[in-house]
DNA sequence: TGAATTGTTATCGT
DNA sequence: AACGATAACAATTC
């Protein structure tokens, strides 16, 4: 089902939702045990992470890009990246376990935080220097200081297609395939447009769209990522993602599916023309098109 | 069976 | 050198 498909790709709004949900559960709790059943996902090593975090208290839970960041009272930070299929679960009862548990943390209040990940793409990383751990990450699009001018500077002199640029976490963080498609649709920009060919009006629209769509995602608790606990509602508000052949909410033109830089991509061909110029006189254009075919 | 998914890394070309 | 494009890769599901 589409619903389940959508459920598997936490981007910024989903990670933010998770952080907000788990903050009150783990902050001020002491980690009394850590166990990994998939050593390859733990950096620098299971033994070293165990040594660094067991006995430590979580003093803060935050988000950086798509990472969940555990701030420890000593020994730095623990970062969890869910990648595609990762999930966190919270259990007081350790007898019944959800599927695909790859790692877990036991806290001093008797509760257990479980990291479930059917595809084993997720990562658990410990380090003492948060700056260093996140050195390859670009700016946070929802921070106040991320202005349209910042976006303009990022795009200036870049000849890459705008969509893969938006997905590049070293350029700007938080966007994945869903929200990149949605932001570009809202901004009326075709995903293959060269970044340095966007005019100031388009850059302003893209800046507004990125922030609008990410905030909307957070407001709806993300696009549903957990079909057992269906909290997220953003999937009901998507304009193009996963809606191939369905009518564009803006102009009713069928949504098209194409491949951009190896990624499945959804666009409205009328709202997002390749040349960047929106067509006017919608009815007339529609009439002409029908006549031609 | 192959396509799809994310983000990092390597590699090659300009 | 810096940038960009591309592919491989991790693993699994349908």
């Amino acid at each position: 089902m589409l619903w389940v498909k959508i459920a598997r790709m936490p981007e910024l709004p989903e990670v933010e939702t998770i952080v907000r949900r788990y903050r009150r559960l783990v902050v001020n709790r002491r980690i009394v045990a850590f166990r990994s059943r998939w050593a390859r996902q733990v950096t620098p090593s299971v033994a070293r992470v165990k040594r660094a975090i067991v006995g430590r208290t979580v003093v803060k839970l935050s988000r950086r890009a798509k990472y969940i960041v555990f701030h420890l009272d000593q020994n730095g930070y623990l970062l969890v990246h869910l990648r595609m299929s990762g999930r966190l679960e919270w259990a007081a009862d350790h007898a019944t376990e959800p599927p695909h548990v790859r790692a877990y943390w036991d806290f001093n209040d008797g509760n257990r935080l479980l990291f479930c990940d059917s595809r084993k793409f997720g990562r658990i990383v410990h380090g003492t220097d948060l700056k260093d751990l996140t050195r390859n990450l670009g700016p946070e699009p929802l921070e106040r200081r991320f202005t349209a001018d910042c976006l303009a500077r990022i795009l200036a002199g870049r000849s890459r297609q705008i969509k893969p640029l938006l997905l590049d976490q070293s350029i700007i963080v938080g966007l994945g395939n869903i929200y990149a498609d949605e932001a570009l649709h809202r901004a009326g920009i075709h995903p293959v447009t060269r970044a340095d060919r966007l005019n100031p009006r388009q850059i302003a629209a893209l800046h507004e769209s990125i922030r609008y769509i990410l905030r909307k995602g957070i407001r709806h608790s993300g696009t549903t990522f957990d079909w057992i606990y269906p909290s997220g509602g953003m999937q009901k508000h998507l304009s193009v993602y996963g809606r191939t052949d369905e009518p564009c909410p803006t102009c009713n033109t069928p949504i098209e599916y194409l491949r951009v830089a190896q990624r499945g991509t959804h666009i409205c061909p009328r709202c997002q023309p390749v040349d960047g110029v929106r067509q006017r006189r919608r009815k007339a254009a529609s009439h002409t098109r029908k006549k031609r075919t």
Side-chain angles (χ1 to χ4, degrees):
Chain A
M1 296 297 287
L2 179 63
W3 201 50
V4 174
K5 251 180 117 175
I6 281 178
R8 296 166 178 269
M9 23 188 129
E11 303 178 26
L12 185 150
E14 289 74 31
V15 178
E16 180 66 29
T17 300
I18 291 164
V19 165
R20 290 180 185 184
R21 181 179 301 158
Y22 279 93
R23 182 171 283 141
R24 69 182 173 81
L25 298 172
V26 300
V27 167
N28 294 327
R29 300 294 190 281
R30 193 174 74 253
I31 299 167
V32 296
F34 171 69
R35 172 86 196 278
S36 166
R37 298 175 184 163
W38 188 241
R40 294 173 66 171
Q41 74 184 163
V42 182
T43 303
S45 72
V46 175
R48 290 181 62 177
V49 169
K50 199 178 286 192
R51 207 179 313 140
I53 71 171
V54 171
R56 302 276 52 85
T57 297
V58 179
V59 294
K60 181 179 173 182
L61 191 70
S62 67
R63 178 191 59 75
R64 172 76 173 103
K66 302 174 190 174
Y67 287 93
I68 300 160
V69 183
F70 295 76
H71 301 243
L72 308 173
D73 61 340
Q74 291 173 43
N75 301 349
Y77 307 86
L78 187 72
L79 274 56
V80 173
H81 200 300
L82 302 172
R83 291 280 183 103
M84 258 186 83
S85 59
R87 269 167 34 239
L88 293 183
E89 297 279 346
W90 187 251
D93 170 21
H94 303 169
T96 56
E97 210 177 64
H100 311 300
V101 174
R102 308 303 179 192
Y104 60 79
W105 297 259
D106 285 331
F107 289 89
N108 62 326
D109 61 357
N111 286 306
R112 177 172 286 183
L113 178 68
L114 302 130
F115 180 85
C116 312
D117 186 11
S118 65
R119 294 185 189 178
K120 301 180 178 174
F121 281 15
R123 293 293 176 261
I124 297 169
V125 181
H126 175 263
T128 54
D129 184 352
L130 189 57
K131 279 273 181 338
D132 185 55
L133 287 167
T134 59
R135 68 188 177 283
N136 293 326
L137 296 173
E140 290 283 339
L142 291 184
E143 281 187 358
R144 185 182 290 272
R145 62 171 176 256
F146 184 76
T147 62
D149 271 356
C150 295
L151 183 60
R153 278 195 292 275
I154 284 170
L155 303 180
R158 300 268 179 179
S159 62
R160 291 173 75 183
Q161 296 175 330
I162 186 64
K163 177 169 173 179
L165 198 73
L166 292 180
L167 292 175
D168 187 333
Q169 302 296 297
S170 70
I171 304 291
I172 176 175
V173 303
L175 293 165
N177 215 26
I178 297 174
Y179 293 95
D181 278 4
E182 293 296 313
L184 287 168
H185 174 261
R186 181 176 170 81
I189 295 168
H190 194 285
V192 304
T193 311
R194 279 175 51 144
D196 57 6
R197 299 278 279 273
L198 295 173
N199 63 40
R201 184 188 60 77
Q202 288 177 308
I203 293 174
L206 183 57
H207 175 261
E208 188 277 338
S209 297
I210 289 169
R211 289 163 64 98
Y212 174 88
I213 210 71
L214 289 175
R215 286 211 176 97
K216 187 171 178 182
I218 293 172
R219 198 163 68 242
H220 291 281
S221 300
T223 302
T224 290
F225 49 86
D226 184 346
W227 52 99
I228 297 165
Y229 185 72
S231 59
M234 184 61 184
Q235 65 277 7
K236 292 178 221 143
H237 301 275
L238 300 177
S239 295
V240 289
Y241 186 87
R243 300 190 69 249
T244 306
D245 295 331
E246 291 177 44
C248 169
T250 307
C251 73
N252 284 330
T253 304
I255 301 302
E256 288 180 4
Y257 182 86
L258 55 150
R259 194 150 283 276
V260 177
Q262 275 67 261
R263 294 289 189 242
T265 300
H266 311 74
I267 64 157
C268 168
R270 183 178 295 170
C271 294
Q272 300 166 267
V274 181
D275 62 7
V277 180
R278 266 187 224 253
Q279 290 176 31
R280 291 161 64 203
R281 290 179 302 142
R282 186 176 121 194
K283 276 179 186 165
S286 163
H287 185 65
T288 309
R289 184 167 305 166
K290 258 183 199 160
K291 258 185 145 179
R292 259 202 269 142
T293 50

